[in-house]
């Protein structure tokens, strides 16, 4: 799904257009459905408070239109639940961090202090990018793992030659 198609969905679409759109995705198979999911992910990445009802409504509509996403790929069998959970987590983050505090550089850290695995850090992110990654990784945390979303207040950086 290209950006123009996604904007059409957000702005409203007739039942006839919706049926035609569903048919084009069904006929397009994996790649067409993948583009639909990318549209959802891009919308989640940029999601703001005033858009949350819209994304929830579209996840509900997509679930009704494509009740068996595993027909496109077995890895998508739970995609609607995953997207719903991501939207809920991102909404919670938007409620926690006020708009005035969202500017600047953010980073996401994932770690399990009780394992020998390395710490994973995603630096140099905007709040939208970092909160999206947080909502993506948060549901899959294992026992003793933690996830941190933090704003960089001061930084010293050097690059080797």
């Amino acid at each position: 799904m290209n950006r123009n198609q996604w904007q059409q969905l957000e702005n409203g679409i007739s039942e006839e257009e919706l049926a035609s759109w569903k048919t084009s995705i069904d006929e397009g198979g994996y790649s067409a459905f993948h583009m639909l999911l990318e549209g959802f992910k891009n919308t989640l990445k940029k999601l703001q408070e005033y858009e949350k009802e819209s994304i929830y409504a579209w996840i509900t509509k997509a679930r009704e239109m494509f009740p068996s996403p595993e027909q496109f790929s077995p890895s998508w069998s739970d995609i609607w639940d995953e997207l719903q959970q991501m939207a809920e987590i991102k909404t919670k983050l938007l409620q926690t961090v006020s708009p005035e505090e969202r500017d600047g550089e953010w980073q996401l850290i994932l770690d399990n202090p009780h394992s020998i695995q390395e710490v994973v850090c995603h630096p140099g992110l905007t709040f939208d990018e970092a909160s999206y990654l947080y909502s993506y990784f948060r549901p899959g945390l294992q026992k003793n793992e933690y996830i941190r979303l933090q704003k960089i207040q001061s930084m010293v950086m050097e690059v080797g030659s």
Side-chain angles (χ1 to χ4, degrees):
M1 167 182 296
N2 65 38
R3 182 143 186 87
N4 188 34
Q5 290 171 312
W6 186 259
Q7 288 173 336
Q8 285 179 321
L9 290 176
E10 290 179 324
N11 295 332
I13 189 169
S14 72
E15 289 299 317
E16 183 177 292
E17 291 170 314
L18 200 56
S20 173
W21 178 71
K22 179 186 180 335
T23 299
S24 72
I25 291 177
D26 284 335
E27 290 173 357
Y30 175 91
S31 59
F33 193 77
H34 174 73
M35 293 303 294
L36 168 68
L37 296 181
E38 287 303 305
F40 273 109
K41 291 174 183 177
N42 287 331
T43 299
L44 276 172
K45 191 178 288 185
K46 297 172 186 166
L47 182 69
Q48 299 300 310
E49 292 88 343
Y50 63 90
E51 301 170 311
K52 66 182 181 184
E53 296 307 319
S54 173
I55 191 72
Y56 292 144
W58 273 108
I59 291 170
T60 299
K61 180 58 107 175
R63 188 186 301 264
E64 292 168 4
M65 291 175 60
F66 303 101
S68 302
E70 62 274 7
Q71 75 184 23
F72 299 103
S73 172
S75 65
W76 290 330
S77 63
D78 297 321
I79 194 64
W80 304 131
D81 292 336
E82 292 169 13
L83 289 172
Q84 180 74 31
Q85 192 171 33
M86 288 174 68
E88 290 167 0
I89 292 168
K90 174 89 185 242
T91 298
K92 183 179 177 184
L93 289 171
L94 290 170
Q95 293 168 344
T96 303
V97 180
S98 70
E100 300 80 33
E101 298 175 312
R102 296 179 193 163
D103 65 330
E105 182 177 329
W106 291 77
Q107 68 182 12
L108 186 73
I109 297 174
L110 295 139
D111 189 21
N112 182 340
H114 302 290
S115 77
I116 59 172
Q117 294 177 338
E118 296 179 13
V119 174
V120 176
C121 181
H122 296 272
L125 304 171
T126 65
F127 177 78
D128 284 342
E129 294 166 335
S131 60
Y132 171 77
L133 286 175
Y134 184 101
S135 71
Y136 177 81
F137 288 118
R138 172 58 188 96
L141 287 183
Q142 302 297 311
K143 184 177 180 174
N144 297 319
E145 287 182 332
Y146 69 83
I147 187 168
R148 282 175 66 159
L149 174 65
Q150 53 194 33
K151 184 175 182 177
I152 304 300
Q153 297 297 326
S154 299
M155 176 178 62
V156 174
M157 181 173 146
E158 292 185 35
V159 178
S161 51

